[in-house]
């Protein structure tokens, strides 16, 4: 659903010089010349098992990183005396930091909050912190951060209204791992269940289906990206003999659409599934934002859901990929196994887990709290509406789902511009994900460059304004035909 959301809150060497000489890093990945683009044709299965190639779908791949990699070379025999190796590495790292600083200035297409300061945690980087096994059972390995991890899990369990003695969870290594775990729990609860997911679900959901050899049914979506529950109903009725495992999106990857959880549950009950379903909620980005949007539908374990996962490196803003996975304690027993080697049990996807990530999450949650997140959500939604309105004022088709900070618009015609601003694209559309680190000033710079370059593209004959009506609706398309 598109509209104006109410976002009022409820509650020497340092300079890179070695022996007087500046060491250059390899160049940034250059935009690819169209003549050298790699075309990946989608292979599709026909009814008889025969394969054919579907024409007309091209995926532009980036340059092979081997052309710009930093080689590892052996130290000279006298390096301990001269110190040249350390000086060289310091130079490379200084240049790399400069590159990161520059690329961060032009980062808009991916949902990462780059506004953080964890200087106080630098003192812990000297330790190998590993949270092996179950977060709630201490293993023989003593250099862990379980006390921080469980504190973070308790915070999220309260957010999603699940009592301490009724939940289980852990800090994952990324959002994909949260989806893999949630769907695995659903499969263990219903071993013969069919996985249902909208066609705009994150690719990790379909990866889980392949990994677990699950039958997977793709459900159609409405034009703005949310699941089409009429199509969902029809597909449920085609498989009434098997339980349903459903992935519900709390913010889709490309359009930021939020599936109607209440309608999904109602559809399941009306089609006779009742207690024969398991719902995993993929809240990678917006799962933590939506609780602070006034009048937004609630994601809560008071409803018959089985698990929720969010990413920690997105809205929260951690410097490394991580996530949070919460499920009902009663579901985990089927996954758990005792591991004598650890003196613990394990029900996670990975073995070793990053023990630093829970500390970063704990630190941020303590610094910001619910009130701090409320303010940041309000800022993101306000700035997203600003960007959408400015794009429309400039004659650029754009759309913003009312429960989202992901602004979808016409795909820029120049791949160099796309790479400069690190935009995520699909077909004729691109998007900007407005995070707490995205300021009005940054958006204005982006808009100025986009408008200026757009006029240049038209003069250069790089193509007319694309029609994006099929992707985001006729009312949001300004191609001249709508």
């Amino acid at each position: 659903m598109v509209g104006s959301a109410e976002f009022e809150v409820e509650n020497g060497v340092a300079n890179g010089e070695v022996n007087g000489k500046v060491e250059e890093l390899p160049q940034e990945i250059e935009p690819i010349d169209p003549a050298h683009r790699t075309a990946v044709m989608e292979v599709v299965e026909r009814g008889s098992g025969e394969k054919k190639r579907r024409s007309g779908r091209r995926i532009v791949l980036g340059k092979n990183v081997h052309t710009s990699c930093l080689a590892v070379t052996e130290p000279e025999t006298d390096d301990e005396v001269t110190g040249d190796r350390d000086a060289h590495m310091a130079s490379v790292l200084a240049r790399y930091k400069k590159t990161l600083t520059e690329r961060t200035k032009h980062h808009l297409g991916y949902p990462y909050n780059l506004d953080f300061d964890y200087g106080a945690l630098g003192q812990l980087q000297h330790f190998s912190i590993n949270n092996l096994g179950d977060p709630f059972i201490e293993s023989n390995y003593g250099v862990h951060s379980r006390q921080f991890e469980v504190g973070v899990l308790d915070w999220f369990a309260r957010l999603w209204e699940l009592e301490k003695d009724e939940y289980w969870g852990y800090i994952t290594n990324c959002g994909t791992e949260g989806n893999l775990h949630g769907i695995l729990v659903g499969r263990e609860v219903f071993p013969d269940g069919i996985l249902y997911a909208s066609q705009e679900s994150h690719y990790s959901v379909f990866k889980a289906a392949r990994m677990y050899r699950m039958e997977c049914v793709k459900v159609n979506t409405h034009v703005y990206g949310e699941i089409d529950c009429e199509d969902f109903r029809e597909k449920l009725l085609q498989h009434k003999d098997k339980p349903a495992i459903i992935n519900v999106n709390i913010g889709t990857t490309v359009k930021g659409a939020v599936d109607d959880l209440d309608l999904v549950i109602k559809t399941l009950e009306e089609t006779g599934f009742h207690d024969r379903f398991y719902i995993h909620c993929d809240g990678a980005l917006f799962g933590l934002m939506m609780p602070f949007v006034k009048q937004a539908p609630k994601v809560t374990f008071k409803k018959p859901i089985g698990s929720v996962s969010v990413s920690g490196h997105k809205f929260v803003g951690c410097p490394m990929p991580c996530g949070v996975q919460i499920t009902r304690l009663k579901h985990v027993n089927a996954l758990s196994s005792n591991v004598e080697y650890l003196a613990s049990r394990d029900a996670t996807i990975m073995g070793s887990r990053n023990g630093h990530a829970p500390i970063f999450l704990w630190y941020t949650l303590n610094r910001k709290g619910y009130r701090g997140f409320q303010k940041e959500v309000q800022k993101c939604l306000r700035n997203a509406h600003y960007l959408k309105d400015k794009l429309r004022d400039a004659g650029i088709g754009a759309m913003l789902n009312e429960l989202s900070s992901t602004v979808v618009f016409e795909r820029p015609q120049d791949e160099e511009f796309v790479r400069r601003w690190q935009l995520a694209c699909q077909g004729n559309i691109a998007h900007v994900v407005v995070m707490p680190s995205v300021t009005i000033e940054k958006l204005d710079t982006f808009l100025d460059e986009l408008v200026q370059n757009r006029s240049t593209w038209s003069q250069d004959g790089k193509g007319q304004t694309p029609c994006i009506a099929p992707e985001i609706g006729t009312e949001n398309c300004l191609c001249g035909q709508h």
Side-chain angles (χ1 to χ4, degrees), residues 282-296:
D282 176 9
L285 170 61
F286 212 63
L288 182 52
M289 298 177 68
M290 201 164 75
F292 305 114
V293 179
K294 187 177 181 180
Q295 297 180 346

Side-chain angles (χ1 to χ4, degrees), residues 385-399:
H385 279 271
Y386 173 85
L387 174 59
K388 188 258 295 183
D389 292 341
K390 287 291 186 179
L391 287 166
R392 298 294 295 264
D393 290 344
I396 301 171
M399 181 270 286

Side-chain angles (χ1 to χ4, degrees), residues 147-220:
Q147 60 273 55
F148 294 92
E149 182 172 19
V150 173
V152 170
L153 295 173
D154 282 348
W155 189 92
F156 278 94
R158 287 197 303 273
L159 183 70
W160 295 320
E161 301 182 307
L162 191 56
E163 297 298 325
K164 280 187 179 184
D165 59 351
E166 295 180 351
Y167 90 86
W168 186 90
Y170 73 107
I171 305 300
T172 64
N173 289 297
C174 60
T176 288
E177 186 180 348
N179 286 340
L180 292 177
H181 192 275
I183 293 169
L184 179 60
V185 173
R187 202 278 306 270
E188 293 300 306
V189 173
F190 295 112
D192 59 340
I194 295 175
L195 176 61
Y196 296 85
S198 84
Q199 60 188 10
E200 299 214 19
S201 298
H202 191 259
Y203 65 84
S204 61
V205 174
F206 306 107
K207 178 190 290 188
R210 293 194 302 273
M211 290 175 65
Y212 306 146
R213 297 292 190 265
M214 298 174 67
E215 183 177 354
C216 181
V217 174
K218 279 189 180 182
V219 181
N220 293 337

Side-chain angles (χ1 to χ4, degrees), residues 66-342:
H66 270 119
T67 62
S68 60
C69 74
L70 291 163
V72 175
T73 58
E74 290 299 311
E76 300 292 338
T77 55
D78 61 347
D79 183 62
E80 290 185 8
V81 177
T82 64
D84 286 348
R85 175 53 52 111
D86 287 344
H88 168 70
M89 290 190 295
S91 169
V92 170
L93 292 174
R95 292 291 179 181
Y96 178 55
K97 180 180 179 181
K98 183 178 179 181
T99 299
L100 292 178
T101 301
E102 175 61 25
R103 299 310 289 137
T104 297
K105 289 179 182 177
H106 298 91
H107 174 274
L108 283 178
Y110 295 86
Y112 306 137
N113 179 7
L114 305 179
D115 184 17
F116 52 75
D117 181 3
Y118 291 106
L121 302 184
Q123 59 187 314
L124 304 178
Q125 300 307 304
H126 302 289
F127 300 97
S128 177
I129 309 176
N130 192 332
N131 288 1
L132 303 150
D134 193 306
F136 301 91
I137 301 176
E138 187 168 349
S139 76
N140 285 339
Y141 185 71
V143 188
H144 62 77
S145 63
R146 283 181 177 80
Q147 60 273 55
F148 294 92
E149 182 172 19
V150 173
V152 170
L153 295 173
D154 282 348
W155 189 92
F156 278 94
R158 287 197 303 273
L159 183 70
W160 295 320
E161 301 182 307
L162 191 56
E163 297 298 325
K164 280 187 179 184
D165 59 351
E166 295 180 351
Y167 90 86
W168 186 90
Y170 73 107
I171 305 300
T172 64
N173 289 297
C174 60
T176 288
E177 186 180 348
N179 286 340
L180 292 177
H181 192 275
I183 293 169
L184 179 60
V185 173
R187 202 278 306 270
E188 293 300 306
V189 173
F190 295 112
D192 59 340
I194 295 175
L195 176 61
Y196 296 85
S198 84
Q199 60 188 10
E200 299 214 19
S201 298
H202 191 259
Y203 65 84
S204 61
V205 174
F206 306 107
K207 178 190 290 188
R210 293 194 302 273
M211 290 175 65
Y212 306 146
R213 297 292 190 265
M214 298 174 67
E215 183 177 354
C216 181
V217 174
K218 279 189 180 182
V219 181
N220 293 337
T221 56
H222 296 296
V223 70
Y224 302 131
E226 71 273 16
I227 191 170
D228 180 348
C229 279
E230 284 305 311
D231 185 58
F232 181 44
R233 178 189 301 272
E234 291 179 12
K235 287 172 177 172
L236 284 171
L237 292 174
Q238 294 172 13
H239 304 280
K240 287 192 68 173
D241 59 324
K242 291 187 177 181
I245 300 166
I246 307 96
N247 177 79
V248 170
N249 295 302
I250 313 301
T252 58
T253 307
V254 177
K255 299 178 184 177
V258 176
D259 292 341
D260 189 331
L261 174 59
D262 293 332
L263 185 56
V264 166
I265 294 170
K266 181 181 178 183
T267 303
L268 286 161
E269 292 175 344
E270 288 180 349
T271 49
F273 280 78
H274 300 292
D275 59 350
R276 295 189 304 123
F277 65 85
Y278 179 96
I279 296 175
H280 169 68
C281 297
D282 176 9
L285 170 61
F286 212 63
L288 182 52
M289 298 177 68
M290 201 164 75
F292 305 114
V293 179
K294 187 177 181 180
Q295 297 180 346
K298 293 188 71 172
V299 175
T300 170
F301 280 89
K302 292 185 181 299
K303 299 176 182 179
I305 63 174
S307 52
V308 183
S309 63
V310 297
S311 296
H313 56 289
K314 292 180 180 172
F315 183 73
V316 177
C318 278
M320 75 284 286
C322 61
V324 175
Q325 162 71 354
I326 298 287
T327 187
R328 296 180 187 273
L329 179 61
K330 64 181 182 180
H331 293 328
V332 175
N333 292 330
L335 283 178
S336 301
S337 60
N338 295 327
V339 184
E340 182 180 1
Y341 166 73
L342 302 178

Side-chain angles (χ1 to χ4, degrees), residues 50-67:
E50 176 190 356
K51 293 183 178 180
K52 72 172 183 178
R53 293 187 180 277
R54 179 183 295 163
S55 60
R57 184 169 184 175
R58 301 175 68 85
I59 301 174
V60 180
L61 300 181
K63 184 186 291 184
N64 190 317
V65 176
H66 270 119
T67 62

Side-chain angles (χ1 to χ4, degrees), residues 464-470 474-475 477-482:
Q464 298 178 338
T465 300
C467 176
I468 53 176
T474 56
E475 66 275 24
C477 179
L478 300 179
C479 69
Q481 300 177 4
H482 296 100

